[in-house]
Amino acid sequence: MVKNNYPDLSEIAELQKLFLHSLNLGTGRAMLLMKGYPQLDFSKELIAASARNLANDAPSEGSRADYLYLLIRRAKNRALIEKALLQRLKNKKSGACNLDQLCGLALYFYRDGNLHAREIFLERFDKSFHDDYEFCGEEQILKMDGLQGLFKLADKIGRLPEDEWPWYEYRWNIDDFQKANPELDVFAEFENVAKENPYIHNYFKLISSIAPFKRIRRKIPSAYTVKDIEELINRPSKRVGFNRDRTLRMPQHEIIAVARNFLDEKDKLRKFRYLRFFYATRFPFDYAPLLKIASGKKNHQTMAVNNAVLALSHFSGADIRALALKKMQEERIPCEYLHLLVSNYQAGDAEMLVEIIGRAKNFDEVHLLVQGIIAIFKANPVADSKAPLEAMYYNMNCGMHRRDLVELLNDNKVLSDEILEELPYDSDEDVRKLSRKIKRQRSAVVMNQDKTV
């Protein structure tokens, strides 16, 4: 809804601050602010968020170009923003995730009629093969120029020393391009051009030697044996993980055998490795040995305390809860110990969890808490989960975990209309999909209610 009254200077500063905070998180609140205050200038905030990928784990979450482009397209000073970002792309030498986001935006600008965006993009793409400039634009060049873009990419890479070619193997991009253009025989076209151009031939030879990506049908995993567990425990790597599906398929007598091996183990490092196994499945005896380890001092090399706490998440007990409350007071960011409340949560703990979230001084510290908060409220679908889950939602810049938070809010029937309204504009595609699913569910409920009236 458009606000008719123009805000005063202090209100403008606060709105711009809220807008930038939303951009940091990647939430749709930024879009609602733009719609509500079309007269305000958010150029500075949009340039800052576009020049640097602000996601908590940018390599995993990917570019936010599609999210940012929708905002830039609506911006009051759109031309100024585009010019500033294209200049950043032209001059930026390194930072793969930031470059990918800028390249993605340049592609959007070009498709929307900005021919200068194409010139700048191609200039920066060429610089990728100069000293001191990081490679970028391999995905966008195919979307921008189609087959000709593929040939440009191949020609550039084929001119490099042969020992550098494997660093530029982008077979998956070519397979994706073929899938998006089924009317073309991409490899046949590629091969024809390669006959006339020795540099393209070099790259075609490299790509042809690599098998296309095939999605492997997931097989039902077999249960671990006691021998399998012992082999994993004996691995030289510092950290050991166990497949939860394989663990849960183990017969109880073998789980008991593993537990006895854990109790009999004298080597501390090996003993602590077993604890991760008992996070995947419940320890079959009294939890006292686990509690003793969990109560000790943390050692980031052995991960003993952390793994023991995870193993204790299956158990409830007054002494476990007492340890949890003690650590919540002693540790400023007690991320490991939140799991002690998974089976020991009590009414009123939500207030304590909100206070703990409030201790976080930056996005990284908030992110440290998210797995514990999610685990607690998956196990305890209670109404008072609303405040802690919302505190995480409004303070965490991880799109992947934001989907889990929204799903929990919805499942626990505490998802607010305010949050639901902004979900369609979220930076995370899975969050956007979830918002559509939730709206369909709510519409179906309303229709069923109308039928019964």
Side-chain angles (χ1 to χ4, degrees):
M1 181 177 178
V2 176
K3 308 296 182 181
N4 293 321
N5 295 327
Y6 196 86
D8 61 30
L9 289 177
S10 62
E11 289 174 325
I12 291 173
E14 185 60 28
L15 289 167
Q16 289 172 330
K17 183 179 177 181
L18 286 172
F19 185 82
L20 181 59
H21 183 67
S22 176
L23 292 180
N24 271 286
L25 302 182
T27 62
R29 177 60 55 88
M31 179 61 81
L32 298 185
L33 286 169
M34 290 196 84
K35 288 183 174 183
Y37 299 91
Q39 71 275 43
L40 294 190
D41 183 4
F42 295 111
S43 304
K44 180 180 176 182
E45 292 76 17
L46 281 168
I47 291 170
S50 300
R52 177 170 172 255
N53 189 319
L54 299 173
N56 183 271
D57 184 356
S60 298
E61 291 190 45
S63 169
R64 288 181 172 182
D66 55 347
Y67 163 75
L68 292 161
Y69 170 68
L70 293 177
L71 294 164
I72 293 169
R73 191 172 63 177
R74 181 180 283 271
K76 183 179 179 181
N77 291 319
R78 175 180 174 178
L80 179 150
I81 296 169
E82 291 191 10
K83 182 178 179 181
L85 292 176
L86 291 173
Q87 191 63 35
R88 297 284 182 94
L89 173 59
K90 180 179 179 179
N91 297 329
K92 190 163 185 60
K93 289 189 172 183
S94 62
C97 294
N98 302 332
L99 281 166
D100 183 53
Q101 184 163 283
L102 286 167
C103 286
L105 286 169
L107 176 63
Y108 275 121
F109 300 158
Y110 167 65
R111 285 177 168 175
D112 219 13
N114 186 337
L115 299 182
H116 185 56
R118 171 182 166 78
E119 295 173 12
I120 295 295
F121 170 80
L122 291 176
E123 181 179 341
R124 179 58 184 82
F125 177 75
D126 286 342
K127 287 180 179 178
S128 294
F129 302 92
H130 299 168
D131 289 343
D132 299 329
Y133 280 88
E134 193 167 349
F135 185 70
C136 70
E138 69 279 7
E139 179 182 348
Q140 291 81 12
I141 193 78
L142 297 181
K143 292 179 178 178
M144 186 176 286
D145 284 354
L147 275 175
Q148 294 306 313
L150 171 59
F151 301 151
K152 285 177 188 174
L153 177 69
D155 181 84
K156 289 287 187 183
I157 295 172
R159 292 174 184 270
L160 297 171
E162 187 172 355
D163 61 346
E164 294 183 24
W165 294 350
W167 291 101
Y168 298 91
E169 181 275 295
Y170 296 106
R171 171 68 191 245
W172 66 89
N173 273 334
I174 298 171
D175 290 334
D176 287 346
F177 180 72
Q178 175 66 82
K179 187 176 180 180
N181 298 274
E183 73 282 2
L184 297 174
D185 187 338
V186 174
F187 267 80
E189 297 280 355
F190 201 172
E191 186 173 19
N192 285 336
V193 176
K195 292 175 182 177
E196 306 296 327
N197 184 315
Y199 305 115
I200 292 178
H201 173 77
N202 289 339
Y203 193 62
F204 178 72
K205 180 180 176 182
L206 170 67
I207 294 299
S208 299
S209 69
I210 297 161
F213 172 78
K214 290 185 179 179
R215 193 174 297 280
I216 300 172
R217 179 176 289 183
R218 188 172 181 267
K219 295 180 180 179
I220 297 175
S222 60
Y224 282 127
T225 64
V226 175
K227 182 181 178 182
D228 291 333
I229 301 302
E230 290 302 303
E231 288 178 353
L232 286 169
I233 295 295
N234 286 325
R235 280 186 178 178
S237 57
K238 288 185 178 180
R239 298 191 182 186
V240 175
F242 297 91
N243 182 295
R244 191 175 184 83
D245 288 339
R246 296 188 67 185
T247 304
L248 293 176
R249 285 182 167 81
M250 290 179 70
Q252 187 64 14
H253 71 273
E254 294 213 344
I255 293 173
I256 289 172
V258 174
R260 293 192 186 282
N261 289 343
F262 160 72
L263 293 172
D264 293 339
E265 182 60 58
K266 302 302 180 185
D267 182 90
K268 284 188 176 181
L269 183 58
R270 281 173 47 83
K271 192 177 187 74
F272 295 151
R273 288 181 172 183
Y274 280 102
L275 294 169
R276 199 76 185 187
F277 175 79
F278 295 112
Y279 175 48
T281 188
R282 183 185 170 100
F283 185 65
F285 303 134
D286 184 271
Y287 60 75
L290 309 180
L291 184 61
K292 182 179 179 181
I293 298 171
S295 302
K297 291 184 179 181
K298 286 188 288 187
N299 183 320
H300 293 296
Q301 287 191 325
T302 64
M303 299 295 289
V305 169
N306 186 59
N307 289 343
V309 164
L310 292 174
L312 281 170
S313 66
H314 298 292
F315 294 91
S316 61
D319 44 2
I320 298 175
R321 179 171 170 80
L323 175 63
L325 297 180
K326 178 174 179 285
K327 294 299 183 181
M328 303 297 167
Q329 290 181 339
E330 291 178 350
E331 305 253 340
R332 188 174 66 83
I333 305 294
C335 48
E336 299 94 342
Y337 300 101
L338 289 174
H339 292 270
L340 296 174
L341 292 181
V342 169
S343 299
N344 294 278
Y345 184 84
Q346 292 183 7
D349 285 348
E351 185 177 343
M352 173 182 65
L353 293 176
V354 170
E355 188 275 325
I356 289 170
I357 295 167
R359 297 176 196 170
K361 295 179 179 179
N362 52 53
F363 293 126
D364 289 336
E365 289 187 350
V366 174
H367 193 257
L368 288 173
L369 299 167
V370 67
Q371 289 186 336
I373 296 292
I374 288 171
I376 288 169
F377 291 115
K378 273 189 176 179
N380 301 275
V382 291
D384 71 351
S385 63
K386 184 176 190 293
L389 291 174
E390 285 191 350
M392 293 299 300
Y393 175 89
Y394 286 120
N395 290 283
M396 185 188 65
N397 65 338
C398 174
M400 293 183 292
H401 279 119
R402 187 159 58 249
R403 188 201 184 282
D404 297 326
L405 295 172
V406 172
E407 193 166 43
L408 276 174
L409 284 163
N410 187 56
D411 290 346
N412 295 358
K413 297 180 172 50
V414 291
L415 178 62
S416 68
D417 290 339
E418 182 181 20
I419 289 179
L420 184 58
E421 185 183 6
E422 63 187 54
L423 296 182
Y425 310 107
D426 197 273
S427 65
D428 187 85
E429 183 180 2
D430 287 337
V431 173
R432 299 194 296 270
K433 287 180 180 178
L434 179 59
S435 77
R436 295 192 288 271
K437 177 183 174 182
I438 292 170
K439 287 185 177 180
R440 287 195 300 269
Q441 290 173 343
R442 292 193 176 189
S443 296
V445 169
V446 172
M447 289 176 64
N448 289 334
Q449 288 174 343
D450 290 342
K451 288 178 182 178
T452 58
V453 174

